[in-house]
Amino acid sequence: MMQMNKTDFAWMLGAILLVHATGLLVEVFAGDSALYALLSEQIARTGNYADLYLYGEDWLDKPHFPFWVSGFAMQLLGANAFAYKLPSFLLFVVGLFYTYKLAQKLYDTNTARWAVVILGASLHLIISNNDVRAEAMLLGLIMGAVYHLYRLINVFSLKHLLLAALFSAAAVMTKGIFVLIILYSAIGGYLLLKKDFRTIFHWKWVLTLALTAVFVLPEIWVLYTQFDSQMHKTVFGRTQVSGIRFFLWDSQIGRFFNTGPIKGKGDPLFFLHTMFWAMAPWAIAAYYVLADRVLKRNSAWAGAEWLTVFGFVVMFVVFSASGFQLPHYTNILFPFLAILTAAWWTKFAIVRQSARRVFTISIWVYSVLYVVVIALLEYFFMPGVSVYGIVCAAMILLVLIFRHQLSATNRTIWIGVLTTLAFCLYLNLEFYPRLLQYQSGMQVAKYMKTLPEDTKKVSLLDDYLLQFYSRGEFEYIRDAELVSDDEQLFIFAGEEHLETLRNSNANFEILRYFPNFHITRLNAGFINHRSREQTLNKHYLIKLHGSQENK
């Protein structure tokens, strides 16, 4: 058996948490992360935890739990990126804890250690603790719920009942009722293949669901007060919109079947290939293990658990069939694959040469790719020499060169963990900070703090980061023609707005140009510094002097 001693585990876990924590020091990314940060900041600023507004209009999309906890953190620590990301990081740690506990119950302490290391050193989880969405929180909530539901199978305990319902409710209030599919397909599939029909139809599951519904009532109540009690409000371009119905159906189930007010287009193979980079450096091995587990159920894996298989496969199929597909959706499935892979590694890697070969190939492929990606980014994105780039690439190469100095039984895992952490350290400390320079809204908000004038501020651009970092000081106006030229204003505008202002004979001056790019949608043209200028949007900070200075 591949053993991991307590000391090795402590070192690995400490290194993993340290690299994850560096993401707390990076500013907020554009897109959904910026939107969620803005909504949380508004809760912290107004103290209103019941209603969600965007630019003064009712906002209906995601449930409230992520905004409640991030808003509370901002009330304690201030409205900044660290406070916004901290709850997600803490719930990620909760996810590691419950992955350990579940693997320990399903297998043993050794497997639990391997599972935590594999999970914690998965590439997209480290990225997601930087570019924070709801999934970072959801991983911890789902694993807490699954663990306590699993404990309820054999022992009816009030503690496990309450915690299973509480974690389940928090998960529902984070992403919607679809998360119950993950929880109960994992437990139900496990019991079904054990042919434990008596437990499947036990009344304790009804009680757990009932308690979950009770704990979800805060979400139902705030939706009722903001929407269902005021059906005259216009939402999604129409009235008579029920916030409760949207939460229970349209928000997630409606999206999966593409019947809700928010629609998308899906590719059935999207998550299949996304996993290859999202769960690096373990993805190749994980796919192999999953196939080995399913196809050899009556031989090598006879008698092994099926909880992790159902926990992953059922939701993976649902995701693949849905109309909405984003890479971070896969994060909540990683713990199941991590436990499954760890169990396979501890059982077969030492006795089956093919098993060791697959794992080794997986680790080496990704480790080499890390060095290649760093070299390409250093050459194309940031011409010149960066200290972090050299150090992190050197760390990866040294691990590969002197791999024989590592513990023999743990060598492959050590290589995978250390090279992934070095690569992510490069992203968090070097690549992302430089990338954030192209978030114009954030840069404008910081620049405004250097200007002494207490003048009204207006934004003609829909920029969540500007609103978050300026604490809502910019009034968002959708039409440049509505800007009054009778008063002094600071205006954040795009190139298309300059012509409108010129045609109105407004007296203005351009204070500064801010290049902008949607950094969560990188492409080759932007990455290459030689062609980057053609991919940028030109945003400007303008000072409108007003009619008084025209006289």
Side-chain angles (χ1 to χ4, degrees):
M1 178 180 287
M2 290 290 191
Q3 292 288 341
M4 181 186 295
N5 61 52
K6 189 175 181 180
T7 301
D8 281 356
F9 176 63
W11 275 104
M12 284 190 183
L13 182 60
I16 287 168
L17 293 178
L18 180 63
V19 173
H20 276 272
T22 60
L24 298 173
L25 307 178
V26 181
E27 300 292 356
V28 178
F29 282 27
D32 286 346
S33 186
L35 171 60
Y36 299 163
L38 174 59
L39 293 169
S40 302
E41 185 273 332
Q42 289 175 171
I43 286 177
R45 178 156 41 91
T46 64
N48 181 359
Y49 281 75
D51 304 319
L52 295 177
Y53 295 100
L54 183 63
Y55 301 129
E57 299 178 359
D58 294 281
W59 186 81
L60 179 62
D61 191 349
K62 298 293 187 295
H64 287 62
F65 183 81
F67 312 124
W68 286 337
V69 293
S70 295
F72 180 71
M74 288 185 191
Q75 282 189 318
L76 294 178
L77 304 173
N80 52 61
F82 178 85
Y84 168 61
K85 296 180 180 184
L86 183 61
S88 293
F89 174 77
L90 295 178
L91 281 171
F92 162 74
V93 175
V94 169
L96 292 182
F97 172 77
Y98 276 112
T99 298
Y100 180 92
K101 297 287 287 184
L102 182 61
Q104 190 178 44
K105 287 295 179 183
L106 291 173
Y107 296 98
D108 50 47
T109 298
N110 186 51
T111 303
R113 289 171 178 169
W114 287 107
V116 167
V117 167
I118 290 171
L119 177 63
S122 294
L123 177 62
H124 203 260
L125 286 186
I126 302 176
I127 293 174
S128 294
N129 270 330
N130 194 332
D131 183 15
V132 170
R133 319 281 181 98
E135 280 67 23
M137 296 184 185
L138 199 56
L139 185 148
L141 299 174
I142 285 176
M143 292 313 296
V146 169
Y147 171 76
H148 290 291
L149 286 171
Y150 175 74
R151 293 301 306 276
L152 278 175
I153 291 176
N154 299 316
V155 180
F156 182 80
S157 161
L158 183 60
K159 179 185 78 171
H160 292 305
L161 176 69
L162 290 174
L163 287 175
L166 191 61
F167 275 111
S168 299
V172 169
M173 291 188 293
T174 296
K175 199 66 177 179
I177 63 172
F178 91 91
V179 298
L180 297 179
I181 299 175
I182 302 177
L183 308 182
Y184 287 94
S185 63
I187 299 299
Y190 171 80
L191 292 173
L192 186 64
L193 288 193
K194 285 183 62 179
K195 297 182 180 180
D196 190 353
F197 301 110
R198 182 177 179 181
T199 303
I200 290 176
F201 295 104
H202 199 281
W203 57 267
K204 59 189 171 187
W205 308 120
V206 177
L207 180 57
T208 306
L209 283 170
L211 273 176
T212 300
V214 171
F215 291 143
V216 171
L217 286 177
E219 178 69 30
I220 300 295
W221 174 251
V222 295
L223 290 171
Y224 173 79
T225 58
Q226 185 173 2
F227 297 102
D228 291 66
S229 65
Q230 305 179 68
M231 300 291 281
H232 62 277
K233 288 184 174 181
T234 300
V235 184
F236 304 126
R238 55 190 174 88
T239 59
Q240 302 299 307
V241 173
S242 168
I244 296 175
R245 173 190 162 81
F246 182 84
F247 167 62
L248 295 177
W249 183 263
D250 293 329
S251 177
Q252 294 301 320
I253 306 300
R255 286 190 182 190
F256 288 140
F257 294 104
N258 229 22
T259 60
I262 303 176
K263 302 183 185 297
K265 296 180 180 179
D267 173 7
L269 300 180
F270 176 81
F271 290 109
L272 192 65
H273 58 73
T274 294
M275 287 289 294
F276 276 108
W277 70 265
M279 202 178 173
W282 324 108
I284 296 173
Y287 272 137
Y288 176 90
V289 173
L290 186 64
D292 190 64
R293 175 71 181 92
V294 174
L295 298 177
K296 298 183 179 180
R297 53 172 298 188
N298 294 319
S299 54
W301 287 92
E305 53 81 26
W306 282 86
L307 185 149
T308 52
V309 175
F310 278 95
F312 174 80
V313 170
V314 173
M315 205 61 223
F316 187 85
V317 171
V318 172
F319 281 155
S320 297
S322 72
F324 281 82
Q325 298 174 337
L326 293 169
H328 54 269
Y329 287 3
T330 60
N331 291 6
I332 58 179
L333 305 180
F334 287 0
F336 301 107
L337 271 188
I339 294 173
L340 194 63
T341 304
W344 170 79
W345 176 252
T346 57
K347 284 179 179 292
F348 304 130
I350 198 168
V351 296
R352 283 172 52 182
Q353 186 176 359
S354 62
R356 295 198 305 272
R357 186 180 298 116
V358 168
F359 217 102
T360 302
I361 290 173
S362 179
I363 299 302
W364 272 84
V365 165
Y366 290 109
S367 298
V368 172
L369 281 175
Y370 292 151
V371 177
V372 171
V373 171
I374 291 176
L376 289 175
L377 289 177
E378 288 291 295
Y379 181 78
F380 287 105
F381 184 70
M382 299 171 289
V385 179
S386 69
V387 174
Y388 287 123
I390 293 175
V391 170
C392 292
M395 287 170 61
I396 295 173
L397 290 173
L398 287 173
V399 169
L400 298 178
I401 293 171
F402 296 102
R403 62 190 182 280
H404 296 296
Q405 304 300 317
L406 301 172
S407 170
T409 55
N410 298 341
R411 183 178 300 146
T412 304
I413 296 292
W414 271 108
I415 293 172
V417 171
L418 293 176
T419 56
T420 300
L421 295 184
F423 178 68
C424 290
L425 203 61
Y426 169 77
L427 294 180
N428 285 351
L429 299 182
E430 178 70 29
F431 179 62
Y432 289 145
R434 295 205 180 200
L435 197 62
L436 295 177
Q437 297 174 9
Y438 296 94
Q439 295 192 148
S440 61
M442 181 181 73
Q443 299 300 332
V444 167
K446 291 184 176 182
Y447 178 71
M448 290 300 300
K449 296 177 182 178
T450 67
L451 301 180
E453 299 181 61
D454 184 18
T455 305
K456 183 178 177 181
K457 305 173 186 66
V458 167
S459 175
L460 298 176
L461 296 168
D462 182 7
D463 194 304
Y464 303 141
L465 286 171
L466 172 70
Q467 302 298 332
F468 173 70
Y469 281 100
S470 69
R471 309 296 182 262
E473 290 183 0
F474 278 80
E475 177 188 355
Y476 175 48
I477 298 178
R478 289 178 171 82
D479 190 345
E481 294 182 355
L482 299 178
V483 175
S484 172
D485 61 356
D486 292 330
E487 56 182 332
Q488 292 189 34
L489 298 171
F490 284 117
I491 304 175
F492 180 48
E495 194 168 20
E496 67 275 17
H497 301 120
L498 294 182
E499 191 64 28
T500 302
L501 292 173
R502 291 190 181 102
N503 291 337
S504 66
N505 295 318
N507 181 17
F508 69 92
E509 64 174 314
I510 298 175
L511 297 181
R512 190 168 174 179
Y513 157 66
F514 294 88
N516 185 76
F517 188 85
H518 201 306
I519 64 169
T520 61
R521 301 172 185 172
L522 298 178
N523 57 44
F526 173 77
I527 291 293
N528 189 344
H529 68 277
R530 295 184 181 89
S531 58
R532 185 175 306 145
E533 188 65 29
Q534 287 73 44
T535 69
L536 299 176
N537 295 313
K538 296 181 178 180
H539 295 167
Y540 303 90
L541 180 64
I542 298 169
K543 184 175 182 181
L544 185 66
H545 294 291
S547 59
Q548 294 300 318
E549 296 192 17
N550 287 324
K551 296 180 180 179

